[in-house]
């Protein structure tokens, strides 16, 4: 990796994490960023108040155990506090899970395309990456995932709703899959977007967690709660797994501001869910509008839609949106578009109509 310093060879295999692009500046147009699945709604009033509370003292370290937040989450989910592990976003929980399971000589199984951090984290631990291509409709290939498991497998990552395709895992799918997974292998259900799901068949992560001791849930306050900038999430895990996770998570990773904001937002969870379902309604209408324009769009259950396109077309579509001061996210096999303000979505609708027409002319 370097002739000057003793750096790990594995760094050469790290796939880069590419964040969502910022919008370009176009004269006369307000820029919009629909490339990072951020919540475009204003924060709940109580959350803003908690962040600006004069009792916050930045010179002091935060509670290293996030005691109140953990207790609130445990009460909300009806589990013991020993089963809740706070972290700086769900990403830190995922990182910790790879840290306690993976090393050279082991393997991790995950669907692909999915959350871009999965292969990055696996590479960081020196483990063998076993991505399993999604089915043609964008769903997890559970037969393929089972076939990828062997005696070196220490971790399996599932994403529901899947980022970027947006499709969720059903209860029947997860139950059937878990019956095939060795009981000692940890399975992660990444539920960053579960609040936006409206499909009646979507698996209930907490119900599944109670049925399968080797299942770990990764959740976040970044999406539906709109706290992405504060970096706070949590894992729900068997106490033995949870204890191991706490061993490898950096002390004080969840700031005092993040703790109080998350606790306040959780206390308003009913409002959060109403807002999430409003976003979902906009998502469904937006997806249908794009289909009506002639594009192929999955039945997303997240706060975004997925437009399936060949890579060259996806690049052109992203560029056409950028020309209208709207940033969307080109990924392998298509474009992901976060739900945002009406004006931004209207511009994308217009782009989609002209784009589809140009492809059939």
């Amino acid at each position: 990796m370097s002739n000057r310093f003793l750096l790990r060879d594995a760094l050469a295999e790290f796939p880069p994490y590419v964040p969502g692009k910022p919008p370009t500046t176009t004269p006369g147009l307000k820029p919009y960023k629909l490339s990072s699945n951020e919540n475009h709604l204003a924060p709940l009033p109580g959350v803003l108040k908690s962040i600006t509370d004069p009792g916050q003292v930045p010179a002091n370290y935060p509670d290293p155990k996030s005691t109140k937040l953990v207790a609130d989450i445990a009460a909300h989910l009806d589990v013991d506090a020993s089963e809740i592990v706070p972290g700086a976003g769900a990403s830190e929980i995922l990182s910790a899970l790879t840290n306690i399971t993976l090393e050279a000589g082991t393997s991790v199984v995950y669907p692909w395309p999915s959350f871009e951090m999965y292969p990055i984290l696996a590479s960081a631990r020196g483990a063998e990456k076993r991505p399993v291509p999604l089915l043609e409709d964008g769903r997890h290939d559970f037969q393929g995932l089972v076939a990828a498991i062997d005696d070196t497998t220490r971790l399996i990552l599932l994403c529901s709703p899947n980022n970027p395709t947006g499709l969720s895992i059903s209860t029947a799918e997860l139950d059937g899959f878990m019956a095939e997974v060795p009981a000692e292998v940890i399975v992660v259900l990444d539920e960053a977007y579960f609040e936006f799901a409206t499909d009646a068949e979507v698996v209930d992560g907490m119900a599944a967690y109670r049925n399968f001791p080797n299942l770990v849930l990764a959740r976040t306050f970044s999406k539906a709660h709109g706290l992405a900038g504060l970096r706070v999430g949590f894992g729900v895990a068997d106490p033995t797994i949870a204890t191991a996770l706490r061993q490898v998570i950096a002390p004080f990773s969840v700031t005092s501001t993040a703790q109080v904001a998350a606790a306040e937002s959780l206390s308003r969870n009913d409002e959060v869910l109403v807002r999430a379902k409003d976003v979902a309604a906009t998502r469904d209408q937006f997806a249908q509008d794009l289909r009506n324009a002639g594009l192929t769009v999955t039945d997303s259950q997240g706060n975004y839609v997925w437009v399936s396109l060949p890579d060259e077309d996806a690049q052109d579509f992203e560029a056409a949106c950028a020309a209208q001061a709207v940033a969307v996210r080109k990924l392998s096999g298509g474009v992901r578009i976060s739900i945002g303000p009406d004006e931004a979505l209207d511009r994308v609708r217009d782009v989609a109509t002209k784009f589809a027409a140009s492809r059939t002319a």
Side-chain angles (χ1 to χ4, degrees), residues 74-85:
H76 176 70
L77 298 179
D78 193 23
V79 298
D80 192 82
S82 64
E83 299 170 72
I84 302 299
V85 182

Side-chain angles (χ1 to χ4, degrees), residues 8 10-11 13-18 88-112 114-131 154-159 188 190 218 231 245 248-249:
R8 294 176 58 205
L11 291 175
E13 300 180 9
F14 273 37
Y17 178 77
V18 181
S91 295
E92 184 168 50
I93 301 302
L94 294 169
S95 178
L97 282 160
T98 63
N99 205 1
I100 66 171
T101 57
L102 302 179
E103 58 190 347
T106 66
S107 64
V108 55
V109 175
Y110 53 89
W112 196 254
S114 193
F115 184 36
E116 290 177 280
M117 287 298 296
Y118 297 162
I120 294 172
L121 293 172
S123 294
R125 311 304 176 206
E128 179 187 350
K129 301 184 291 289
R130 294 184 180 172
R154 297 293 181 269
L155 186 67
I156 301 166
L157 300 165
L158 307 177
C159 193
V188 182
D190 182 349
R231 311 307 304 131
L245 290 173
V248 298
I249 290 178

Side-chain angles (χ1 to χ4, degrees), residues 188-267:
V188 182
L189 186 60
D190 182 349
E191 292 191 298
Y193 302 94
F194 82 96
E195 294 97 338
F196 300 102
T198 54
D199 187 333
E201 300 300 316
V202 172
V203 65
D204 179 337
M206 281 306 303
Y209 167 72
R210 291 185 170 95
N211 289 332
F212 303 107
N214 58 327
L215 185 68
V216 176
L217 306 183
R219 293 186 171 183
T220 184
F221 287 90
S222 293
K223 306 303 181 181
H225 289 265
L227 301 181
L230 294 181
R231 311 307 304 131
V232 55
F234 62 95
V236 187
D238 177 273
T240 300
I241 299 173
T243 297
L245 290 173
R246 293 188 197 96
Q247 285 181 265
V248 298
I249 290 178
F252 312 115
S253 67
V254 183
T255 67
S256 297
T257 302
Q259 291 180 36
V260 297
E264 177 62 28
S265 193
L266 186 64
S267 75

Side-chain angles (χ1 to χ4, degrees), residues 163-187:
N163 176 17
T165 58
L167 294 165
S168 289
I169 296 170
S170 71
T171 300
E173 285 175 327
L174 185 67
D175 287 351
F177 178 69
M178 294 301 293
E180 299 288 336
V181 176
E184 67 275 14
V185 175
I186 294 175
V187 179

